């Protein structure tokens, strides 16, 4: 050490970005990055996509097992009830005060924080209260996101419809029209696929917050702020901006080869854990393709397929969850800057499961840094500087 710093008490060597560092045990989610497998509570997401619903997956994540028919009915009813989905009128009034240019992700981050002030359990961190808060937030967040979409376009928010599931109701509140069965199904599958993903950056942020014994809403706000970045959940929005720049499938190959030659980063590719294709991407590709055909726009998927083929052959890099999701949302007429908030509407359920797990066996999360700054700086009075 040349600067005279004392050698740090180094228990583990420094790992940039905490790559492959195990910080906790967890029973919620397992990723096999070499085989491309993703399990929630032991169940393969491929099976959940085929047989389950988002509501059932939420129960599985929070309670650690699949529900009985009766348990599922109660859970579905609670998630759909107007009492849980409705926003407090003061939160709705608050939304009308924001400049119209405020992004949906900023609204979501601020709105979740505001909802905490109105939550009857805000000061109770017991498991039961955290479950109640998780249920309310999961029900309220789609209303918040949809209400802002309407308000910023100068339209009146649409009240939630308790007869529709979370996916169908969100699309209904966004447009005022009942979605097609394919759109509702696609959205439900997208919600299943985004619900949890082990110790990704936003979940880790949520757990760090929960680890100080802070409350669920605070942990979710940490998660939303972390998800927003383009290296994480914000990538789905960046992918669509790239597709819109390319426009014509015939130009996609030259465009992407040029970006690679300039050593650019291609959004929607690469992953810290997967060394093979992300198992979620194939489902999203299929659904984006089906929806694209239904609405007569196949060019987005064609552009993405061309990019995927070049990335695979040139970089041995594969699509992650963010590559095709936006093409499906765009086919539903959803604005590009809503893609990352949509991710959060699903991931809130995984974050909540991790907050419950963290609180259930808590130890403050507090790593060290290896100090590389000076250690003998002499204070110079302001008048002498
Ligand atoms: N495009 C081009 N090159 C890439 C990409 C990419 N998408 N991802 C990684 N690389 C290259 C890097 O340039 C680097 O090359 P080098 O060693 O020659 O400098 C090498 O691969 C390692 O990259 P790191 O950034 O160190 O890998 P890391 O594990 O830290 O990053 C990440 C993972 C952030 C996901 C990265 O792959 C990336 O930026 N992808 C694009 C953004 C994206 O799609 N994010 C969403 C991920 S999924 C999710 O969070 C929901």
């Amino acid at each position: 050490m040349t600067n005279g710093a004392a050698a740090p008490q180094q228990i583990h060597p420094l790992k940039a970005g905490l790559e492959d560092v195990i910080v906790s045990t967890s029973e919620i989610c397992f990723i096999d990055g070499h085989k491309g497998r993703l399990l929630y509570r032991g169940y393969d997401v491929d099976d959940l996509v085929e047989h389950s619903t988002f509501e059932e997956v939420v129960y599985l994540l929070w309670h650690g097992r699949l529900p009985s028919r009766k348990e599922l009915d109660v859970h579905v009813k609670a998630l759909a009830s107007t009492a849980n989905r409705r926003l407090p009128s003061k939160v709705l009034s608050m939304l009308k005060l924001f400049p119209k240019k405020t992004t949906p992700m900023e609204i979501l981050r601020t709105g979740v924080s505001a909802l905490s002030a109105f939550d009857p359990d805000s000061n109770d961190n017991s498991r039961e209260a955290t479950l109640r808060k998780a249920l309310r937030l999961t029900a309220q967040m789609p209303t918040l996101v949809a209400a802002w979409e309407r308000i910023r376009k100068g339209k009146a928010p649409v009240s939630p419809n308790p007869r529709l599931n979370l996916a169908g109701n969100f699309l209904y509140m966004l447009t005022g029209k009942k979605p097609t069965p394919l759109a509702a199904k696609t959205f439900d599958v997208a919600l299943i696929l985004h619900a949890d993903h082990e110790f990704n950056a936003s979940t880790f942020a949520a757990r760090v917050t929960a680890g100080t014994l802070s409350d669920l809403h605070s942990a979710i706000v940490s998660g939303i702020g972390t998800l927003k970045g383009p290296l994480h959940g914000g990538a789905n929005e960046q992918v669509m901006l790239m597709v819109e720049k390319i426009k014509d499938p015939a130009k996609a190959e030259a465009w992407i080869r040029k970006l690679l030659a300039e050593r650019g980063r291609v959004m929607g590719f690469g992953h810290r854990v997967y060394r093979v294709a992300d198992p979620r991407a194939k489902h999203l590709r299929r659904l984006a393709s089906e929806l694209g055909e239904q609405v007569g726009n196949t060019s987005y998927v064609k552009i993405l397929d061309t990019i995927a083929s070049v990335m695979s052959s040139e970089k041995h890099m594969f699509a992650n969850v963010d590559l095709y999701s936006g093409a499906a949302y765009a086919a539903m007429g959803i604005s590009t800057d809503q893609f990352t908030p949509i991710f959060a509407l699903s991931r809130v359920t995984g974050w909540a499961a991790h907050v419950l797990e963290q609180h259930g066996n808590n130890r403050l999360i507090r790593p060290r840094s290896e100090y590389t700054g000076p250690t003998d700086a002499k204070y110079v009075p302001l008048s002498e500087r």
Side-chain angles (χ1 to χ4, degrees), residues 231-232 235 263-270 272 317 320 322 343:
L231 294 188
H232 188 17
R263 298 187 64 77
R265 196 159 281 238
V266 190
M267 294 293 152
F269 289 89
R272 182 58 75 69
M317 230 172 240
N320 61 42
D322 288 323
F343 192 149

Side-chain angles (χ1 to χ4, degrees), residues 197-217:
H197 210 232
E198 207 224 39
F199 269 52
N200 61 88
S202 57
T203 301
F204 184 56
R207 284 192 80 131
V208 170
T209 302
T212 67
L213 295 185
S214 189
D215 61 289
L216 180 82
H217 284 78

Side-chain angles (χ1 to χ4, degrees), residues 40 190-196 284 321-322 325 329 343 346-347:
Y40 298 163
L191 292 175
I192 291 174
L193 292 170
H194 287 84
D196 198 42
L284 292 163
V321 70
D322 288 323
S325 58
Y329 304 147
F343 192 149
S346 165
R347 186 57 59 84

